[in-house]
């Protein structure tokens, strides 16, 4: 395959941008021009992010969207976006604004209009919601919390290794914004799901995901029912929220590459 299409990987909460490194290497090998710019304020390394959580605090959804929109405006062509968790929401917003050629949203955080709120998702986000002041802070997960929220479909040892390698503090503000989305007509979690001229969208769900249960992804798909643009969904029944970084990441990445090829991208 020979293509110079730019690909931007967008991470979600609690993972550093460098967690996309294996994906970047694979996509570059396939001829894409792949990068993973961090969120606004993200330090260059996991260690720096852990040492300076204040740099990550108080970044909201609109801040992150505008950050990536600014990056996209500096490119020679509209990129393919691949986002995980809140990165998946950001990718959908940018796609709805016609700033991307296509988007892949993996276990994407719920957008405005999505109603299911499974108990597992509430438990996964409790470390943030237990204190209203966390809206303006960057919050870290413990290893046990990460195990429940991300690593429940892998071994305890692998979950611990992933936690030690990739986790960073995450701003609480996006979670508070998403939680209030259906009560706010101008919510930053609103996506232009009715856009018929946008590029294709692939939604991917993990059947064992506690943080973004597949019911949320299925409900997200329904939000696009009024758009004639390509919108597809794929399910990995035995995978959880760590599916982009754990030992099975290559299966997910190969699925994304196959889908992009079918879209002639």
């Amino acid at each position: 395959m020979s293509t110079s299409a730019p690909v931007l990987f967008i991470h979600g909460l609690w993972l550093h941008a460098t967690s996309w490194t294996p994906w970047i290497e694979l996509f570059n090998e396939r001829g894409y021009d792949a990068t993973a710019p961090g969120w606004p304020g993200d330090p260059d390394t996991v260690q720096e992010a852990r040492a300076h959580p204040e740099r990550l605090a108080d970044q909201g959804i609109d801040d992150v969207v505008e950050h990536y929109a600014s990056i996209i405006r500096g490119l020679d062509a509209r990129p393919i976006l691949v986002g995980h968790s809140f990165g998946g929401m950001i990718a959908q917003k940018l796609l709805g604004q016609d700033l991307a050629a296509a988007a892949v949203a993996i276990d994407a955080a719920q957008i405005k209009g999505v109603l299911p709120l499974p108990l597992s998702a509430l438990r996964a986000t409790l470390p943030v919601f237990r204190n209203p002041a966390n809206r303006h802070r960057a919050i870290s997960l413990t290893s046990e919390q990460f195990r429940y929220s991300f690593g429940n479909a892998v071994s305890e040892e692998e979950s611990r290794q992933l936690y030690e390698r990739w986790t960073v503090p995450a701003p609480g503000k996006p979670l508070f914004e998403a939680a209030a989305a259906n009560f706010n007509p101008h919510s930053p979690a609103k996506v232009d799901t009715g856009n018929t001229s946008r590029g294709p969208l692939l939604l991917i769900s993990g059947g064992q995901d506690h943080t973004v249960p597949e019911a949320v992804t299925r409900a997200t798909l329904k939000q696009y029912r009024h758009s004639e643009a390509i919108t597809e969904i794929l399910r990995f029944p035995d995978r959880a929220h760590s599916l982009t970084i754990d030992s099975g990441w290559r299966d997910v990445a190969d699925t994304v590459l196959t889908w992009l090829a079918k879209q002639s991208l």
Side-chain angles (χ1 to χ4, degrees):
M1 182 176 181
S2 178
T3 176
S4 58
V7 176
L8 295 185
F9 292 101
I10 307 175
H11 69 83
L13 301 182
W14 293 298
L15 294 180
H16 192 265
T18 52
S19 64
W20 287 113
T21 298
W23 289 68
I24 292 171
E25 294 172 350
L26 175 62
F27 273 63
N28 285 340
E29 288 173 4
R30 298 294 180 89
Y32 293 97
D33 181 12
T35 57
W39 284 26
D42 276 6
D44 291 337
T45 67
V46 170
Q47 290 71 26
E48 288 179 88
R50 291 172 180 169
H52 298 284
E54 71 280 358
R55 298 182 188 176
L56 307 167
D58 224 18
Q59 298 288 351
I61 295 170
D62 282 342
D63 299 313
V64 182
V65 171
E66 178 51 37
H67 172 72
Y68 283 100
S70 178
I71 292 172
I72 291 170
R73 287 192 285 266
L75 300 176
D76 294 332
R78 290 188 304 166
I80 297 162
L81 304 177
V82 180
H84 172 250
S85 197
F86 261 93
M89 173 198 284
I90 302 304
Q92 291 176 75
K93 284 185 65 71
L94 293 166
L95 182 69
Q97 295 171 10
D98 291 323
L99 291 174
V104 179
I106 305 171
D107 285 346
Q110 66 189 73
I111 63 176
K112 180 177 172 61
V114 171
L115 299 179
L117 189 59
L119 290 176
S120 68
L122 291 173
R123 178 177 169 183
T125 53
L126 184 61
V128 173
F129 288 131
R130 63 169 37 127
N131 185 346
N134 287 341
R135 179 184 179 94
H136 303 292
R137 297 171 176 166
I139 309 303
S140 297
L141 296 179
T142 66
S143 180
E144 292 74 19
Q145 290 165 343
F146 178 86
R147 170 74 167 155
Y148 182 82
S149 301
F150 282 77
N152 56 288
V154 299
S155 69
E156 185 173 352
E157 175 62 17
E158 182 176 1
S159 179
R160 184 185 61 79
Q161 290 174 353
L162 294 172
Y163 173 81
E164 293 176 352
R165 186 175 187 184
W166 299 124
T167 59
V168 295
K173 188 173 182 179
L175 281 168
F176 281 91
E177 290 175 329
N182 291 327
F183 306 99
N184 178 3
H186 305 293
S187 169
K190 185 176 182 179
V191 171
D192 186 359
T193 56
N195 185 345
T196 60
S197 64
R198 62 163 172 82
L201 170 66
L202 175 63
L203 302 171
I204 293 179
S205 68
Q208 304 301 315
D209 195 328
H210 285 162
T211 301
V212 184
E214 60 181 318
V216 172
T217 306
R218 290 196 304 268
T220 300
L221 178 65
K222 292 179 180 179
Q223 294 299 307
Y224 287 93
R225 64 190 178 276
H226 300 300
S227 173
E228 296 178 358
I230 294 172
T231 311
E232 298 180 0
I233 188 169
L234 290 172
R235 177 176 181 261
F236 286 83
D238 59 343
R239 309 300 297 280
H241 208 58
S242 67
L243 78 174
T244 60
I245 58 171
D246 61 34
S247 55
W249 73 270
R250 181 63 187 263
D251 292 337
V252 185
D254 284 340
T255 295
V256 172
L257 286 166
T258 298
W259 182 81
L260 290 172
K262 289 180 179 179
Q263 311 307 318
S264 301
L265 293 167

